[in-house]
Amino acid sequence: MKKFALALFLLSFGFILAACGGGEETSGGSGGEGESGVQETTIKFSHVVAENTPKHQGALAMKEYIEKESDGKITVEIYPNSSLFGDQDEYQNLVSNNVQFIAPDLSKFVGNNPQFNVPSLPFMFDNDEEAIAFWDGEKGQEILSSLEGDGVLGLKMWPNGGKHVTNNERPIDSPDDFDGLKFRTQGGQVLEAIYSTLGAGSESIPFGELYTALDQGVVDGQENTFSNIESKKFDEVQKHMTVMNHTRVDYAIFTNTDFWEGLNEETKAIVEAGVEEGTKVAREEAISLNEKAYELLKERGEVEIIELTPEQVEVFRTELQPIYDEFEEEIGADVYEAAREAAGQ
C-alpha cells in the first residue's frame, strides 16, 4: 500500500509539472505579446486593380519595407487583379483570415455602415487632400473602426481620386444626357440615388468583370478614376468620357483582428510602419498616376473627352443637391459637418 501510495503521488506530481510546463509553452508560442523577436510569418495582401495603380504601388512599398526591416522573417505576398480574391469574396476571406490585408473601395461597406457612403456624396471633395483630411480625422477614423464586430480593423485611407463617366451612347455634358442610360457603379444607396435622380439605371458589377460587361453591352457605361479607366483600357470599349469629379473612389487598408492581435510588439511595430510607408506612397501615386493616365487617354484618342465648364458643373451640383437631404439622417449630420469642414466648406 505504501508503494502504491508513493507511486500515485509521483504520478500526480508528474502531471502537475507537465501541465505547468505545457502552459508556459502555449503562452510562448502563441505569437502574442509574450513572444520576443520578429515572428516569422507570411502576410497575404489581395486587391482587385492592376499593377500600374496607386493601390498596387502602395502595396509594393509596404511589402518592401516590411520584408527589409524584418530581415526577411516576414514575407508579404501581393495578389493584384483579383488573382486571389475578387470584389465579391475578399471581405469574407479577410474575416476568415485567409488573407491578412485587403484595400477595397469604401463604398463596398455601405451595407455594413451607411457612413461609408461619404466618397459617393456628390461634389463633396474637390481633391485628394480634402478627402484625406476627412478620413484621417476623428469622424473618419471612427467609421473605419466600425467593422471590428466582424473581426476587421480599418487602418488607413488610400485615395484613388475623383471619378469620371464613360459611356457608349452619347456625349454627356448635362443632367438630361443621362436619361435612359445604364451605368455600372460600385453599389450603395447614394450612388443608386444619384443615377436615379439623373434618370439613369445603375448596376453593381465586380471590377474584374467590368471590361467584358462594357464590351458586351451589359451596361452602357461606368464611372471611375483616370488611373482605373486607363489601366483597365476601358477606352477600348467606350466611346465618350466626361470629366466630372462628381464622386470618388477611396480605398482603405483593412486587416483581420485575430492576425493583428496575434503579432507581438516588435513584429506589429514593423507591420504598422510598413502600412504607414504604403500609405505615403499610395497617396503620392494617386495624384501622379491619375495625371499620367489622363494624358495617356488623350494620346490614345480612343474615347471622346468632354471637359465640363464650371457653369456646367454647377448645374449638376444643383440637380444632385437633394441627395444630401435624403441621406442626412442615415449618414448623420455630424458626418456631413466633419466632411464639409475637411473640404473647407
Side-chain angles (χ1 to χ4, degrees):
M1 289 297 293
K2 289 181 179 180
K3 290 180 180 180
F4 177 79
L6 178 60
L8 184 61
F9 171 78
L10 292 173
L11 183 62
S12 300
F13 187 68
F15 276 126
I16 292 171
L17 287 176
C20 292
E24 291 172 358
E25 182 179 349
T26 301
S27 175
S30 66
E33 299 298 327
E35 183 180 335
S36 61
V38 178
Q39 298 159 259
E40 292 190 16
T41 186
T42 297
I43 295 172
K44 294 181 180 180
F45 189 145
S46 174
H47 69 76
V48 303
V49 298
E51 288 91 336
N52 54 334
T53 56
K55 186 190 295 189
H56 189 72
Q57 297 307 308
L60 286 176
M62 178 177 158
K63 168 185 170 70
E64 182 179 347
Y65 182 94
I66 291 173
E67 291 182 345
K68 179 181 177 182
E69 293 301 315
S70 68
D71 292 325
K73 290 184 178 179
I74 306 174
T75 300
V76 181
E77 299 176 353
I78 304 173
Y79 298 88
N81 273 315
S82 304
S83 57
L84 184 62
F85 301 116
D87 278 330
Q88 65 272 37
D89 60 356
E90 64 177 1
Y91 185 70
Q92 292 85 349
N93 279 283
L94 182 68
V95 171
S96 301
N97 202 24
N98 295 326
V99 62
Q100 287 68 53
F101 285 101
I102 62 173
D105 184 332
L106 291 172
S107 66
K108 299 298 180 186
F109 299 124
V110 296
N112 303 73
N113 179 355
Q115 294 177 333
F116 281 108
N117 275 299
V118 167
S120 300
L121 292 172
F123 301 101
M124 172 59 80
F125 302 116
D126 288 336
N127 50 52
D128 289 356
E129 289 78 8
E130 293 177 359
I132 289 169
F134 171 78
W135 290 105
D136 281 358
E138 181 180 353
K139 190 57 64 176
Q141 288 296 302
E142 181 182 307
I143 297 171
L144 290 181
S145 299
S146 65
L147 303 174
E148 291 190 55
D150 288 348
V152 170
L153 177 64
L155 299 174
K156 289 288 184 177
M157 175 271 221
W158 288 12
N160 193 349
K163 286 190 285 187
H164 314 285
V165 170
T166 69
N167 87 98
N168 247 347
E169 294 298 317
R170 64 181 78 105
I172 290 176
D173 59 19
S174 73
D176 291 342
D177 294 326
F178 278 87
D179 191 49
L181 301 181
K182 187 175 183 180
F183 289 83
R184 179 268 183 182
T185 71
Q186 291 93 330
Q189 308 94 326
V190 173
L191 284 176
E192 289 176 5
I194 287 174
Y195 283 90
S196 176
T197 299
L198 295 172
S202 62
E203 182 175 344
S204 181
I205 296 172
F207 187 71
E209 302 172 15
L210 180 52
Y211 183 99
T212 301
L214 294 170
D215 189 33
Q216 295 178 350
V218 176
V219 288
D220 299 307
Q222 60 88 48
E223 56 168 26
N224 237 305
T225 62
F226 290 136
S227 64
N228 282 352
I229 293 169
E230 188 279 323
S231 65
K232 285 296 188 179
K233 295 182 169 48
F234 294 151
D235 55 322
E236 293 180 346
V237 290
Q238 297 277 268
K239 296 177 182 176
H240 315 282
M241 180 174 76
T242 302
V243 179
M244 289 188 66
N245 196 35
H246 60 305
T247 57
R248 291 186 55 82
V249 176
D250 283 326
Y251 309 123
I253 182 167
F254 291 87
T255 190
N256 176 278
T257 54
D258 287 341
F259 158 75
W260 193 250
E261 292 167 4
L263 301 176
N264 63 28
E265 290 184 9
E266 189 172 348
T267 307
K268 184 181 287 186
I270 292 173
V271 177
E272 282 182 325
V275 170
E276 290 290 342
E277 183 64 21
T279 299
K280 175 186 173 184
V281 170
R283 290 177 175 181
E284 291 172 350
E285 290 291 314
I287 297 173
S288 63
L289 287 182
N290 274 315
E291 290 175 350
K292 292 175 184 176
Y294 189 31
E295 292 306 313
L296 284 171
L297 289 167
K298 291 178 182 178
E299 290 173 14
R300 291 209 291 253
E302 297 283 347
V303 63
E304 177 192 11
I305 298 175
I306 300 97
E307 294 184 347
L308 299 180
T309 66
E311 292 76 19
Q312 288 173 321
V313 170
E314 194 57 38
V315 172
F316 276 102
R317 284 183 184 273
T318 302
E319 184 78 11
L320 296 175
Q321 186 58 39
I323 299 292
Y324 284 90
D325 295 333
E326 181 179 351
F327 289 96
E328 181 172 5
E329 183 176 352
E330 191 171 359
I331 295 175
D334 56 335
V335 174
Y336 279 9
E337 181 180 357
R340 286 173 175 143
E341 181 178 346
Q345 297 178 12

